[in-house]
Amino acid sequence: RVGAGSALTVGYASARPDAHVSPLYCPSCDNDGYAWGETAFSSIQAAIDSGAPRVLLGPGLYRESISLVSGVQVIGAGADLSVITPPRDSVRAVVTAEGVRGAILARVTVAGSGVVSGKPAGVVVEQGAQAVRIARAIIRGAPVGVLVSDAGT
């Protein structure tokens, strides 16, 4: 029940399509029939930021650091096919999950690391993150593969 002087907004969330990512996608390319900037991306982070529930990676090398968000699944074409490595001169971890809930990273290789809290790590899960799942992934080239700190994972 809404009292006098208050407002009630009612609505629903519209379903978002999956995002598809390939290092070969571009604004003027065919992009396997996906719409550039809506369902086709060349950047994993741009696809995550699009609000898609699943980010599907094609085979290839992705030279970027990414931050997972709550509820999003990042799924590669296979751990030996989809490789995420940090950009040159990066000081961030390759993958971070800070304060998120229910994120999934699967079927990828995370190659390399950045320094977080004085420790070099490939994947960092921290700041109260919960239910973060890493499945069928290879983490290599990092002194600390997965750093979990202050998380409920």
Side-chain angles (χ1 to χ4, degrees):
R1 182 170 182 177
V2 179
S6 63
L8 174 65
T9 303
V10 194
Y12 57 92
S14 58
R16 302 267 318 167
D18 293 338
H20 300 265
V21 185
S22 171
L24 304 177
Y25 288 172
C26 71
S28 60
C29 300
D30 174 29
N31 302 325
D32 297 321
Y34 300 113
W36 176 254
E38 295 176 27
T39 56
F41 300 87
S42 59
S43 160
I44 301 169
Q45 191 64 57
I48 291 170
D49 294 344
S50 76
R54 291 191 317 166
V55 175
L56 306 173
L57 309 181
L61 176 65
Y62 299 89
R63 191 172 292 281
E64 61 182 298
S65 294
I66 63 171
S67 296
L68 298 177
V69 298
S70 293
V72 172
Q73 302 174 27
V74 177
I75 304 169
D80 56 337
L81 299 173
S82 301
V83 179
I84 308 170
T85 188
R88 289 173 177 75
D89 303 323
S90 176
V91 295
R92 290 185 54 205
V94 181
V95 178
T96 58
E98 298 174 340
V100 303
R101 182 179 186 90
I104 296 173
L105 177 69
R107 301 181 60 194
V108 299
T109 290
V110 175
S113 66
V115 178
V116 178
S117 302
K119 297 179 182 163
V123 178
V124 174
V125 180
E126 63 182 354
Q127 296 180 7
Q130 296 181 356
V132 175
R133 194 170 99 195
I134 301 168
R136 297 183 181 207
I138 298 169
I139 301 171
R140 66 171 187 230
V144 176
V146 179
L147 175 64
V148 178
S149 171
D150 188 29
T153 301

